[in-house]
Amino acid sequence: MSEPGLYNKYQIINRETGQELVGASFVLKPANDSAARAALMAYAEVTDNRQLAIEITAWVSSLPELMKCDWCDEPAAELSNPHMFDMAIGKRMCRHCWEHDREAYMGVYGEDIGQFKSIGGDNP
């Protein structure tokens, strides 16, 4: 299944006014997205707001290092040991791959591999 492209995924509310943001915007979640981290660092380099640049750089630098999933080879902030049907000793699985397997095993075998259990990193 392919990832969706650009679409209106989030409703953004101004905390000061309680009003919904009018106009186009783009939400980044750098905790588990290496592209978001790169975009934020690029923004910090070109913004005229020096304080904002310093704070973005400090924030991104403080995030835990992303690890790679052994199934999809994508970066992830949290990984799990393989589930009971995947005998892959020493391998680690991201939440996305876990949920994909969970759905597949339920549909094909009627077996639930259970909830994702992080072995490290931050939860998104």
Side-chain angles (χ1 to χ4, degrees):
M1 182 169 113
S2 67
E3 295 288 327
L6 186 62
Y7 65 103
N8 190 13
K9 184 176 183 177
Y10 297 103
Q11 177 184 18
I12 303 171
I13 305 296
N14 183 315
R15 290 180 190 234
E16 294 173 1
T17 66
Q19 300 296 310
E20 182 175 355
L21 178 71
V22 177
S25 60
F26 192 89
V27 175
L28 299 174
K29 295 174 67 178
N32 57 1
D33 183 350
S34 59
R37 292 178 184 203
L40 283 164
M41 293 305 288
Y43 184 89
E45 287 181 25
V46 298
T47 184
D48 292 333
N49 184 331
R50 186 76 180 126
Q51 185 60 37
L52 180 59
I54 290 168
E55 291 177 14
I56 288 173
T57 301
W59 175 37
V60 173
S61 298
S62 73
L63 294 171
E65 184 178 337
L66 294 175
M67 303 163 280
K68 287 221 177 197
C69 172
D70 290 312
W71 273 253
C72 67
D73 205 33
E74 291 293 320
E78 60 177 357
L79 296 173
S80 173
N81 289 313
H83 55 78
M84 60 190 157
F85 297 117
D86 270 328
M87 295 299 172
I89 311 257
K91 301 293 182 183
R92 303 293 181 256
M93 180 181 278
C94 69
R95 181 178 295 274
H96 175 79
C97 289
W98 183 278
E99 293 302 330
H100 175 270
D101 272 17
R102 187 174 191 195
E103 185 177 311
Y105 277 95
M106 281 295 290
V108 175
Y109 303 109
E111 295 279 349
D112 187 358
I113 63 173
Q115 295 287 328
F116 179 87
K117 294 180 184 95
S118 178
I119 56 170
D122 294 333
N123 291 330

